């Protein structure tokens, strides 16, 4: 990952972690169920954006390198991983 | 929320928060992108289970109370919230 | 389901089916992969809206009736179904 | 797309279309709401598998070609599309 996008990512993940600590407190304090679910759904939307940003960086670095390499097995592995996380993304 | 399920929920949320701190460290240490995405997807699957557990408790407590009450506006509000979180669930 | 919302639902489902026949043709005619995926994703977004509309009607009819009834088993069954489709919604 | 996988894809899409016609009939015949929602969710799971299969074929054909080409703009376009459908997949 490049330095700049890595800093931005870290900031986003720290923000998610702040929101997740809030979820923990909400459950400890017996908050209204729907408010907790909405907070969790907001966290999941933020995590989706983080995953997209990471994948975008990955496509433009590792994937380009692997596809350009002469190592067919490595190329296959890297392309298979993209299909794998895409499949998981359709389920979470 | 009932005491027992609340304890179980809290345990699950603490576990998610542990995994999210691991995601933070992975990004700080410049871990392999696909490993970070997979970790995030595992967190999202755990969050889905937590939301389902919270909704299940909510349906059997607040929703039953509201539907049985004579307050039509309150009943409408509570049923509308279920539709709302269901709609959001199809998007995250 | 009430007559009016049922007509609207049917119209939406027929529209989805029209788009799915288009997907079938796109594959027969060897269309560009990404265009097919985007068309499928548009269908899925439309199906999400249809599910939300059906659930909303269900909450205001069957769920209210079941929760108000004296039949505890029936009430349990109906509330359990809501949790079940919510859980599935977090996965598709 | 290669001939063999295209035949398999077409078979899957035709199967989805058969299930969607069943959904249409269910709504016309005023079937139980939850049964309709479950049928729609089954269709969405099938559509997810179809999208994954199409993306997998795309990665091993167009993406490899574009990444290996000297055309930086074309490479950028193809990688951007992958990120785009991944983003949409996290939302439907």
């Amino acid at each position: 990952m490049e330095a700049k996008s890595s800093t931005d990512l870290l900031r986003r993940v720290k923000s998610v972690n702040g929101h997740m600590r809030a979820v923990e407190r909400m459950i400890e304090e017996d908050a209204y169920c729907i408010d907790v679910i909405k907070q969790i759904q907001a966290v999941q939307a933020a995590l989706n954006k983080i995953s997209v940003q990471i994948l975008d960086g990955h496509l433009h670095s590792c994937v380009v390198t692997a596809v350009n390499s002469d190592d067919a097995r490595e190329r296959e592995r890297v392309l298979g991983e993209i299909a794998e996380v895409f499949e998981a993304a359709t389920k979470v």
Side-chain angles (χ1 to χ4, degrees), chain A:
Chain A
M1 275 182 252
E2 288 172 32
K4 192 197 150 201
S5 73
S6 175
T7 309
D8 180 50
L9 265 179
L10 203 54
R11 190 186 52 72
R12 285 170 181 247
V13 170
K14 281 174 192 289
S15 162
V16 161
N17 288 356
H19 283 92
M20 279 308 302
R21 282 190 298 274
V23 168
E24 194 176 318
R25 276 195 306 278
M26 288 171 89
I27 292 174
E28 284 171 342
E29 295 164 5
D30 208 12
Y32 184 53
C33 300
I34 297 294
D35 292 341
V36 184
I37 293 175
K38 285 183 179 175
Q39 181 77 10
I40 289 173
Q41 290 177 331
V43 162
Q44 289 181 302
L47 288 174
N48 282 339
K49 283 187 187 169
I50 291 170
S51 290
V52 171
Q53 192 182 341
I54 296 175
L55 187 78
D56 196 59
H58 181 63
L59 286 165
H60 289 87
S61 53
C62 303
V63 175
V64 169
T65 307
V67 170
N68 281 326
S69 86
D70 294 331
D71 186 344
R73 189 183 285 175
E74 172 67 2
R75 200 168 56 213
E76 193 54 37
R77 190 184 64 75
V78 166
L79 294 175
E81 283 174 345
I82 304 295
E84 208 181 322
V85 295
F86 179 78
E87 183 167 16
T90 67
K91 288 184 196 148
V92 292

